[in-house]
Amino acid sequence: MNNAGPLASPHTRQSSSVSAIMLQVWLALLPASLFGVWLYGWPALNLLLITTAAALAAEALGQRLAGRPIMPSLKDGSALLTGWILAMTLPPWAPWWVAVIGALFAIIIGKQVFGGLGQNLFNPAMLARVALLIAFPLELTTWVAPQPLFSANAPGFIDSLHITFVGVAPLVGGVDAISGATVLDGIKTELARGAELGVVLPDYYRAGDAMLGQMGGSLGETSALLLLLGGLYLIWRGHITWQIPAALLGTVALLATGFHLYDPLRFAHAGVHLLSGGLMLAAFFIATDPVGSPASRRGQLIFAAGIGALVYIIRTWGGFPEGVAFAVLLMNAATPLIDHYVRPRVYGRDPHGKPLDYQRGRFARRLKKQQGGE
Amino acid sequence: MKLFRFRGGVHPAEQKTTRQLPIRPLPLPTRLYLPLQMHIGAPAVPVVGVGDQVLKGQLLARAPSAVSAPVHASTSGVIEAIDEFTAPHPSGLPVRTIVLRSDGEDRWSESVVPIDPFRLSPTEIAQRVGEAGIVGMGGAAFPAAVKLQLGDRNRIHTLIINGGECEPYLTCDDRLMQERPEAVIDGVRLMLRALQCQRALIAVEANKPEAQQALRRACKELSEVQVIEVPSRYPMGSEKQMIQTVTGLEVPAGKLAAEIGVMVHNVATSYAVYQALRHGRPLISRIVTVSGGALREPTNLEVPLGTLVEELIKHCGGFKETPARQLLGGPMMGTALPHQQVPIVKGSNGVLALSAAETGLAPHAQPCIRCGRCAQACPIGLLPMELASRARHGKLDAALDLGLLDCIGCGSCSYTCPAAIPLTQYFNFAKGELARQREEQQKGERTRALAQARQLRLEREAEAKRLAAAKRKAEREAKKRAEAAAQQEKV
């Protein structure tokens, strides 16, 4: 008899695959990515393509060195997704070598060294982003003001190659064009200068722009709305759970609101926190990476709330204006611990794993009811 | 009635294409192969010899112990052999089997039928159920009488009759409920009497409205029997999940359902009880769904036990394409058949020939991405991916700690895994390995105990010898002294 796979039951399977899931996530990322490309022009597209290509090359290299088959792992789409997400968190006009080093670091150090797909402890894209931030702080904090494709100031295609492969400065009209600070950057600097938040905030933050993404920032992080839509799509299709985004965004919103009420002059309100930086991308696409997050729903709530709290702490009191990557990595490290302690209750057992004893509690009440022949 | 929800579960495509097809009898095959073990427990012991002429329903092999079940002749004929034959098990390993050649007359043996079985005592009912060779017909094949006798020790407040039939493709229980509802209900009442229980709930999945209707019509005069609709969700038909859905109670880990006053029997078992007590007919046939995309004419057949799968397939027009997998039972928990020369036994509810498209099986597993779909699907609340990684690396203690023995093997995790990891296979392996280790440990302990006993016995014997020797010596010396004293006196 011709048989595929093992003989144990079940003998049928839901039609789904790892690559199908990755494809869905990538599709959900597409609107925000395309918006980023439109907003920051051709150099952003270069960055996306180079990072992704380098990630795929690194995956192939890693699999080859480890003696594992190459094609199946390229086809599963995980390396493509890692490269894509990494690019989305980088400054849109970052030079090619930042993209390449980042992608190599993400795939080789972040994933292959651990044993490939599913084995890594940390989110590879976030690991690479942190490594780049520490190694190349200048390149990682050089932001551009939005210059949509085909608009007057936007660099042409040839110029974009120059920006990506040679450098930015001589090309574009003014230095201002490339030094448009992000919301979080601006606030942090102004507060350090002793300015009052209420006075300076309007210079940096306009709710409408922040929602749509019309502002300086990383390639794919600015449009909170498109990221939210992509994330909701993934929840609807069952590819991610609602627990992680809800707990992450909820915790940040709660902390921000609390501190804002306590001192509005020093602490930005929740809207600023939710709509700027990498929070939306992280909530729906990065923290939800199943590999580094807990298995149980309750565990996921703890994990995501932890990220949210750390993001707020780093943004508010830390040395960096943005803390998403650090927060994700720290909670990735806590995942095995969470998984160890937070498990679903097993059928027929109490939460401590002992067999149910029916002496008291809801089961005892139910038993009494049934015995009464209700 | 208020229902409760069990966690997890999956919704496999129902594929119940045969649910409108009436049950047809399968023409009597020339040879029947009756394994001596069609049930959980000790194998039956033959009471007939090769060459014996037997009648339909005659006892062929008796149950040697309480947890066992007798085997009866499915038709009249001659015992041709008692030999090893392939059993319905994925290993294809042989078990002792009685081969019966039909004489084509299908003549019943005389049997004693009580005028009114409701005048029998509960114990007598259970006894007759045991004598009729009735076992759990939902697939588990646990001797029904053993369960019915539990009514003595535990007060059973609810008898649940399982008409869930949550496995895709299978419609044999559905047809039985639609076509013979009165018989099913009668069997339920008899079981209530055996258990001295006042309430029976017949739970039928929502995808079988006709069956529900038929049963409701048949029991509308009865206050103690109630038909309830439960949601269609796999594994609703699993005993633990059924109990949880209907009563909100959970069977404590390692305990029997009877200990919380609940008992579950399958509708087909109930029908068999009716046959045994009303007509004195032992369990010698059952209804089997023959289906699958590779089969030409899917249908429901009433099949004499011991008929080879081959005959069923032939009767259904054979294959229209080469099946990717042939199964006994449903696609979620059934066993793959090594070939078609395997007999239908008491627990066989389906014969399926699935096409490659239907199985959707992947030849290779991909790496686990910890997506958690398995944990979401597990109706028990286990973490299958963690459990599988322990089982795979032979860390049995860790697997036990994660609840290996709580796993009911429903396969929801494997079904839902996007990486096509054979999780259930790993669990089966680990459970088997554990059983082997325990057996070995027990053997070791027995050996040690015997060795110890021998050592003690030897020591005891040596001690006794030493004492005896010392006693003899003391006597000798006493005698000597006495003689010496006597001599001295003489002197």
Side-chain angles (χ1 to χ4, degrees), chain B residues 9 21 29 43 60 63 82 137 187 189 228 245 250 252 274 289 320 330 344 385 387 424:
Chain B
L21 303 178
L60 299 185
I82 301 177
M137 292 177 72
R189 290 179 59 220
I228 52 174
T245 305
E250 293 180 16
Y274 157 83
T289 299
K320 57 183 181 202
I344 293 294
M385 72 287 206
L387 199 50
T424 323

Side-chain angles (χ1 to χ4, degrees), chain A residues 1-19 21-22 72 76 117-119 237-241 289-297 300 335 339-340 342-349 353-358 362-363 366-368 370-374, chain B residues 4 7 155 157-158 199 240-241 244 246-253 260 322-327 330-337 354 358-363 366-371 373 376 380-383 385-386 401-402 406 411 414-420 422 424-425 428:
Chain A
M1 215 169 100
N2 56 336
N3 275 303
L7 278 173
S9 57
H11 309 282
T12 182
R13 226 167 59 75
Q14 202 165 33
S15 60
S16 72
S17 66
V18 173
S19 44
I21 295 172
M22 298 288 175
D76 70 29
L117 180 60
Q119 303 295 317
R237 294 299 302 264
H239 292 301
I240 62 173
T241 58
D289 175 6
V291 176
S293 58
S296 65
R297 303 293 186 97
Q300 289 175 353
T335 291
D339 266 342
H340 183 79
V342 185
R343 291 183 197 165
R345 185 180 68 83
V346 173
Y347 180 103
R349 291 182 185 275
K354 300 267 179 308
L356 290 177
D357 67 356
Y358 280 92
R362 73 192 145 118
F363 285 109
R366 281 181 193 169
L367 180 61
K368 201 167 275 171
Q370 295 292 341
Q371 282 168 337
E374 165 250 9
Chain B
F4 298 81
R7 80 183 297 290
R155 196 179 88 73
H157 55 77
T158 309
R199 176 171 80 149
K240 287 181 172 178
Q241 276 59 43
Q244 190 174 14
V246 174
T247 65
L249 304 175
E250 293 180 16
V251 182
I260 51 166
T322 312
R325 195 158 281 193
Q326 299 176 50
L327 306 174
M332 295 299 287
M333 286 188 80
T335 50
L337 290 175
L354 301 183
E358 285 173 298
T359 60
L361 296 174
Q366 285 175 291
C368 171
I369 55 167
R370 291 173 45 89
C371 68
R373 279 169 175 74
Q376 238 164 285
I380 297 295
L382 304 175
L383 300 173
M385 72 287 206
E386 304 272 336
D401 183 44
L402 282 171
D406 291 292
S414 306
Y415 174 79
T416 187
C417 177
T424 323
Q425 170 117 326
N428 290 349

Side-chain angles (χ1 to χ4, degrees), chain B residues 470-484:
Chain B
K471 197 174 160 200
R472 274 200 305 277
K473 197 173 164 200
E475 276 169 6
R476 260 201 319 274
E477 269 167 16
K479 204 168 162 193
K480 238 185 236 164
R481 265 201 305 276
E483 276 170 12

